[in-house]
């Protein structure tokens, strides 16, 4: 939504908006000249609206939503507007239950670091751009993070598609995993025969024979694109990139978790097919700074490390913690998790508990409801009781910084897709002050 807001603002439109929570991102939009309010208040809606763009995350009984419907103002879903913007462009759409933000950010960075160029609508703040929006009027390519929620990605008809994963999620929308997979298959089949589909190895869909389908993987050497001879040197990873055409030796990716190599393989595969040169690709991958809130270092000192991650699905949490343990095998790791959505918590409570178990200390926050009403019996206690270890805590937001400092971690990792990002400055400040005291 914020990328679309920035897009229309860049075209000279007056952009106003509502969000239920004030965040660093919404404050940033305000400093850029957009008008945002945080209470359901009909009086705050500006007059003479040309268009209302909304996300299906907004409840249909929202006072402003109902009022605008009654006024007869043109209203379009975010996904519909994104589909209209990308229509007629060389769209590169990245879908998946996880991995899509980093992969789409990498593609956008590689293309924009090359002679090809692109515009981009991303689901996170790319550090290289300091934004989730990239506008390049000199290129017909546009990179889009394709969201499967509410079947939003079916509004897109890409030249190139990437599917990174298709784990069960958004079952409040799809009902079953089979229905979700059917939607991914439909998305894949909307890829242009003039382009191609890059599919994570192991995913199987009934794809139209006219669509060029290639596979990528971290470990499957039968895939079309894969890394080989992966090694770590002073915190940076190096690998040989195997493609159907040739092998690119000694690709370097800087300060990244191991799983980002697979994201880089997918991104490089697409970039090469778009005409990026080897030299441009190498330099761009090496200079990629990552996505904010995707394995994002907040503090990195010899004695203490603080990493923040958007992980909110069991597989994402498992992957994040594995990466932390791989980088810091002998360190005591404390993790904070804020569950996102009552329905997701109810559906995956066992999986969340299992994913969190490798942590030395586990701190849970209350569920962030987002668009949902409470479900009887579904709270963070549901996960807490399933964690079969003693070092677990349920914590109120206001107490989080004090409790974490008291736990004295060597490595701290915060995870979640709710408003946990609003707590990060306070947590970071508390540890910086504690470190200052310790250093003195």
């Amino acid at each position: 939504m914020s990328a679309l807001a920035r897009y229309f603002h860049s075209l000279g439109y007056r952009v106003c908006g509502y969000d239920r929570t004030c965040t660093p991102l919404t404050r940033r939009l305000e400093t850029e000249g957009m008008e945002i309010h945080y209470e359901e208040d009909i009086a705050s809606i500006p007059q003479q609206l040309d268009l209302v763009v909304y996300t299906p995350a907004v409840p249909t009984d929202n006072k402003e939503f109902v009022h605008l419907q009654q006024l007869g103002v043109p209203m379009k879903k975010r996904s519909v507007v994104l589909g209209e913007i990308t229509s007629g462009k060389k769209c590169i759409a990245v879908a998946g239950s996880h991995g899509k933000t980093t992969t789409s950010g990498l593609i956008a960075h590689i293309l924009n670091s090359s002679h090809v160029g692109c515009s981009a609508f991303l689901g996170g703040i790319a550090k290289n751009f300091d934004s989730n929006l990239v506008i390049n009027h000199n290129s017909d390519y546009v990179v889009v993070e394709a969201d499967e929620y509410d079947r939003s990605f079916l509004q897109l008809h890409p030249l190139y598609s990437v599917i990174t994963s298709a784990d069960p999620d958004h079952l409040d929308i799809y009902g079953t995993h089979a229905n979700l997979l059917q939607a991914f298959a439909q998305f894949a089949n909307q890829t242009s025969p003039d382009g191609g589909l890059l599919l994570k190895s192991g995913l199987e869909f009934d794809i139209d024979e006219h669509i060029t389908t290639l596979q990528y993987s971290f470990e499957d050497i039968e895939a079309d694109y894969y890394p080989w001879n992966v090694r770590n040197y002073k915190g940076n990873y190096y690998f040989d990139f195997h493609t159907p055409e040739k092998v690119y030796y000694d690709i370097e990716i800087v300060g990244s978790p191991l799983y980002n190599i697979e994201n880089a393989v997918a991104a490089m595969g697409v970039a090469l097919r778009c005409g990026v040169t080897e030299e441009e690709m190498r330099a761009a991958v090496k200079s990629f700074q990552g996505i904010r809130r995707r394995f994002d270092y907040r503090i990195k000192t010899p004695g203490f490390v603080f990493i923040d991650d958007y992980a909110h699905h069991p597989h994402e949490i498992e992957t994040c913690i594995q990466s932390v343990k791989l980088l810091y095998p002998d360190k005591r790791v404390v993790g904070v998790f804020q569950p996102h959505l009552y329905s997701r918590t109810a559906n995956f409570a066992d999986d969340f508990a299992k994913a969190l178990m490798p942590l030395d200390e586990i701190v849970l926050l209350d569920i962030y409801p987002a668009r949902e009403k409470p479900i009887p019996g579904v709270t963070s206690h549901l996960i807490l009781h399933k964690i079969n270890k003693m070092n677990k805590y349920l914590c109120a937001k206001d107490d989080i910084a004090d409790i974490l400092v008291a736990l004295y971690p060597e490595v701290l990792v915060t995870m979640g897709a709710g408003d946990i990002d609003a707590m990060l400055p306070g947590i970071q400040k508390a540890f910086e002050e504690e470190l200052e005291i310790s250093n003195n």
Side-chain angles (χ1 to χ4, degrees):
M1 286 293 287
S2 55
L4 284 177
R6 282 172 160 151
Y7 172 76
F8 285 113
H9 188 256
S10 74
L11 297 179
Y13 290 99
R14 179 189 177 195
V15 177
C16 308
Y18 159 78
D19 201 320
R20 68 183 298 172
T21 306
C22 179
T23 66
L25 178 56
T26 59
R27 288 195 295 270
R28 177 75 177 268
L29 297 182
E30 289 183 87
T31 63
E32 292 172 12
M34 288 164 259
E35 304 164 36
I36 302 175
H37 60 278
Y38 303 94
E39 300 290 337
E40 286 185 48
D41 182 10
I42 293 172
S44 297
I45 299 174
Q47 302 298 311
Q48 298 177 324
L49 290 171
D50 298 305
L51 175 67
V52 174
V53 183
Y54 67 95
T55 165
V58 174
T60 54
D61 61 354
N62 176 281
K63 294 175 185 176
E64 295 188 24
F65 186 88
V66 172
H67 178 71
L68 288 164
Q69 279 185 318
Q70 292 172 344
L71 285 179
V73 177
M75 300 179 70
K76 294 182 179 181
K77 280 187 180 181
R78 178 193 67 87
S79 57
V80 172
V81 174
L82 196 56
E84 292 175 351
I85 291 171
T86 58
S87 178
K89 300 284 188 180
K90 294 178 179 178
C91 178
I92 301 169
V94 182
S97 306
H98 43 81
K100 57 182 176 287
T101 302
T102 300
T103 303
S104 55
L106 259 165
I107 294 171
H109 175 60
I110 296 172
L111 292 185
N112 253 323
S113 300
S114 76
H115 71 283
V116 178
C118 72
S119 297
F121 293 84
L122 307 174
I125 305 299
K127 293 183 179 179
N128 291 89
F129 306 121
D130 193 27
S131 181
N132 50 7
L133 174 71
V134 179
I135 296 178
N136 186 333
H137 297 294
N138 298 318
S139 175
D140 285 335
Y141 284 98
V142 55
V143 179
V144 176
E145 180 173 330
D147 185 8
E148 73 275 15
Y149 176 72
D150 198 41
R151 296 177 171 83
S152 292
F153 58 177
L154 299 184
Q155 298 291 334
L156 301 169
H157 293 80
L159 176 65
Y160 290 106
S161 299
V162 181
I163 300 180
T164 63
S165 51
D167 293 343
D169 200 4
H170 302 303
L171 299 185
D172 54 321
I173 296 294
Y174 289 98
T176 66
H177 188 202
N179 290 338
L180 174 66
L181 293 175
Q182 187 178 36
F184 271 106
Q186 186 178 342
F187 166 76
N189 280 304
Q190 291 178 185
T191 306
S192 170
D194 296 329
L197 167 67
L198 195 56
L199 194 63
K200 167 75 177 291
S201 180
L203 296 177
E204 294 185 3
F205 301 111
D206 187 11
I207 307 299
D208 189 296
E209 61 181 9
H210 299 297
I211 297 173
T212 300
T213 303
L214 298 163
Q215 292 191 326
Y216 75 97
S217 177
F218 178 75
E219 54 192 2
D220 180 7
I221 61 173
E222 298 298 321
D224 299 285
Y225 298 95
Y226 64 92
W228 189 253
N229 190 25
V230 178
R231 60 262 186 216
N232 186 328
Y233 180 69
K234 293 185 178 180
N236 298 335
Y237 284 106
Y238 296 81
F239 59 94
D240 303 332
F241 178 39
H242 285 245
T243 78
E245 292 77 31
K246 64 177 288 188
V247 178
Y248 299 88
Y249 293 96
D250 298 322
I251 300 292
E252 180 181 2
I253 187 166
V254 176
S256 225
L258 185 63
Y259 62 79
N260 264 356
I261 293 176
E262 186 170 73
N263 295 329
V265 165
M268 290 187 295
V270 172
L272 287 172
R273 297 184 71 84
C274 293
V276 172
T277 69
E278 177 179 350
E279 292 73 18
E280 291 171 336
M281 178 184 72
R282 284 182 178 278
V285 171
K286 184 177 179 179
S287 64
F288 183 63
Q289 298 172 20
I291 307 291
R292 203 163 293 159
R293 299 219 63 226
R294 270 57 171 193
F295 214 83
D296 190 7
Y297 282 91
R298 305 278 303 201
I299 301 175
K300 191 175 185 180
T301 68
F304 175 70
V305 173
F306 175 14
I307 298 168
D308 175 53
D309 198 275
Y310 191 69
H312 58 286
H313 184 278
H315 181 82
E316 294 170 340
I317 292 168
E318 181 183 9
T319 302
C320 178
I321 294 171
Q322 283 177 349
S323 298
V324 171
K325 289 285 191 176
L326 185 65
L327 288 169
Y328 306 100
D330 301 320
K331 301 292 187 180
R332 185 167 158 275
V333 181
V334 175
V336 182
F337 174 53
Q338 182 188 43
H340 184 258
L341 300 177
Y342 295 106
S343 60
R344 186 181 281 128
T345 303
N347 288 326
F348 301 117
D350 289 321
D351 297 322
F352 279 127
K354 183 180 177 181
L356 292 165
M357 280 288 289
L359 292 167
D360 297 298
E361 306 270 359
I362 302 164
V363 181
L364 290 177
L365 293 164
D366 288 329
I367 296 170
Y368 183 79
R371 57 188 175 269
E372 292 186 335
K373 303 292 185 185
I375 298 175
V378 178
T379 69
S380 292
H381 282 280
L382 194 62
I383 299 173
L384 190 76
H385 293 324
K386 294 177 182 294
I387 298 172
N388 189 24
K389 63 191 306 180
M390 294 298 294
N391 299 336
K392 57 184 180 180
Y393 314 89
L394 187 60
C395 176
K397 291 180 186 180
D398 293 341
D399 300 328
I400 187 66
D402 291 338
I403 286 179
L404 292 177
V405 169
L407 289 173
Y408 209 75
E410 293 174 285
V411 178
L412 171 65
V413 55
T414 50
M415 297 169 287
D419 63 352
I420 191 170
D421 60 327
M423 306 171 216
L424 299 180
I427 296 171
Q428 183 170 339
K429 181 180 178 183
F431 275 98
E432 286 173 343
E433 291 176 350
E434 183 70 18
L435 291 169
E436 185 66 30
I437 293 170
S438 300
N439 290 336
N440 291 336

